[in-house]
Amino acid sequence: MAGFIGVTALALHQILLQCLSFTWNINFGFSQAAAILVGKEFGNDNLDGVKAVSKRSFALVTILSAVLAVVFIVWPEAIASLFQLDGEGEHTLTDMLSSLIWVVALCFVVDAWQLLAINLLRGMKIVVLRPS
């Protein structure tokens, strides 16, 4: 749908999704580790261990995602410059990306929470992936 708005909107949309995917992949690794630890505790019928691992995992991904969000919000020009959007002397796309990147940064923590929650449930075998 962003393509109907224009080439610039589509390019910025793709870059913002790439930024979100970057943080998602970091949190995915921590979520997988948490699922393993929760599964181990759940398998040993240690519900206190499940709660402890869950709380530490939520604290870890929250802090990590919040730090990344702050970096993206405080230094949007630095993040935008990584993509080398503009030619010599131009700053149009970089400025546009810098003005929009905070929207994606606001999603980092909530995205990490939902990813961790589903992996914790998988670790307890409450949610099972079924091949299609």
Side-chain angles (χ1 to χ4, degrees):
M1 189 164 184
F4 288 117
I5 299 170
V7 175
T8 303
L10 183 59
L12 293 174
H13 181 260
Q14 286 300 115
I15 292 168
L16 292 170
L17 279 177
Q18 199 170 22
C19 292
L20 188 59
S21 296
F22 169 73
T23 60
W24 188 90
N25 284 318
I26 293 170
N27 287 313
F28 183 72
F30 284 105
S31 297
Q32 290 292 307
I36 293 167
L37 295 173
V38 161
K40 178 182 162 199
E41 297 297 333
F42 188 76
N44 289 332
D45 289 328
N46 182 6
L47 295 182
D48 290 332
V50 169
K51 288 179 186 176
V53 168
S54 298
K55 287 179 183 179
R56 283 184 295 199
S57 299
F58 269 103
L60 179 65
V61 298
T62 300
I63 291 167
L64 178 64
S65 296
V67 167
L68 287 169
V70 167
V71 167
F72 274 65
I73 291 170
V74 172
W75 295 291
E77 294 85 13
I79 302 298
S81 69
L82 293 174
F83 293 97
Q84 301 177 356
L85 298 171
D86 301 311
E88 288 293 321
E90 298 177 19
H91 297 291
T92 308
L93 288 175
T94 301
D95 291 342
M96 288 175 75
L97 181 60
S98 296
S99 68
L100 291 172
I101 207 160
W102 65 272
V103 176
V104 170
L106 294 177
C107 300
F108 290 172
V109 174
V110 177
D111 196 39
W113 287 344
Q114 70 85 21
L115 182 61
L116 179 61
I118 193 70
N119 278 290
L120 291 176
L121 292 172
R122 284 184 189 142
M124 293 184 288
K125 296 193 189 260
I126 294 172
V127 175
V128 179
L129 281 177
R130 299 201 189 278
S132 50

